[in-house]
Amino acid sequence: MTVARINQENELEQAFQIRKEVFVKEQGVPLEDEFDEFDTLDGAAQHILVYHENAPAGTARIRWVDGFGKLERICILPPYRQLGLGKVIVAALEEIAAEQEVAKVKLHGQTQAEGFYKKLGYETASQPFLEDGILHVVMTKALAHA
């Protein structure tokens, strides 16, 4: 498996297709809520793709919010789950944050994934809340290498 930082429109479109499949089709997030002004190549967010055997399998992005690196839109296509790609994606985003000298990261994690993020060192920092009809919690982590 490999991780690539997205810097071309065709790569960004691959990421969008993965997000549509996971968030819109599978989880029922309205299409108009899934995409926003940060879904560009202009640097407002850094998008990544993770490949498994050269096939795009997952995606995510990180952007800078209130001194945090905010990990967003983390998703993996169903056939590639349980292969460790989620851990690879989070590590890649944390590396980008550290390169930007950001000492802490946060995310809005779906409550069903809370245990996964806790295993990666994240702490729950909020009560559950609804986002696009799905229960989430804010989770944070201080980066040791920042």
Side-chain angles (χ1 to χ4, degrees), residues 17-19 21-22 26 56-59 75-81:
Q17 287 303 119
I18 293 169
R19 286 170 47 188
E21 185 67 33
V22 173
E26 182 181 336
T59 188
C75 61
I76 299 165
L77 291 169
Y80 302 103
R81 294 179 187 158

Side-chain angles (χ1 to χ4, degrees), residues 38 44 62-72 100-108 138-141:
F38 305 111
I62 184 169
R63 62 187 184 96
W64 322 111
V65 180
D66 300 327
F68 283 83
K70 187 169 186 248
L71 286 57
E72 299 179 325
Q100 297 296 316
E101 299 181 0
V102 174
K104 52 193 176 177
V105 289
K106 69 178 178 177
L107 55 87
H108 292 182
V138 173
M139 302 189 79
T140 62
K141 179 180 179 180

Side-chain angles (χ1 to χ4, degrees), residues 6 11-40 45-49 56-62 72-78 81 132:
I6 294 174
E11 295 167 329
L12 194 58
E13 187 53 41
Q14 288 177 323
F16 292 169
Q17 287 303 119
I18 293 169
R19 286 170 47 188
K20 285 177 192 171
E21 185 67 33
V22 173
F23 294 128
V24 178
K25 289 183 184 173
E26 182 181 336
Q27 296 183 351
V29 173
L31 184 63
E32 61 272 14
D33 291 346
E34 177 53 29
F35 297 96
D36 60 23
E37 68 271 21
F38 305 111
D39 286 323
T40 65
Q46 173 67 64
H47 299 260
I48 64 169
L49 275 170
T59 188
R61 72 182 189 192
I62 184 169
E72 299 179 325
R73 307 303 203 271
I74 299 168
C75 61
I76 299 165
L77 291 169
R81 294 179 187 158
D132 292 317

Side-chain angles (χ1 to χ4, degrees), residues 1 9 14 27 30 32 41 51 56-57 77 82 85 90 93 101-102 112 116 129 132 134-135 142-143 145-146:
M1 69 189 79
E9 285 293 335
Q14 288 177 323
Q27 296 183 351
E32 61 272 14
L41 295 175
Y51 296 87
L77 291 169
Q82 307 302 318
L85 299 180
V90 171
L93 295 175
E101 299 181 0
V102 174
Q112 53 90 12
F116 164 76
F129 59 92
D132 292 317
I134 301 168
L135 276 177
L143 297 179
H145 53 278

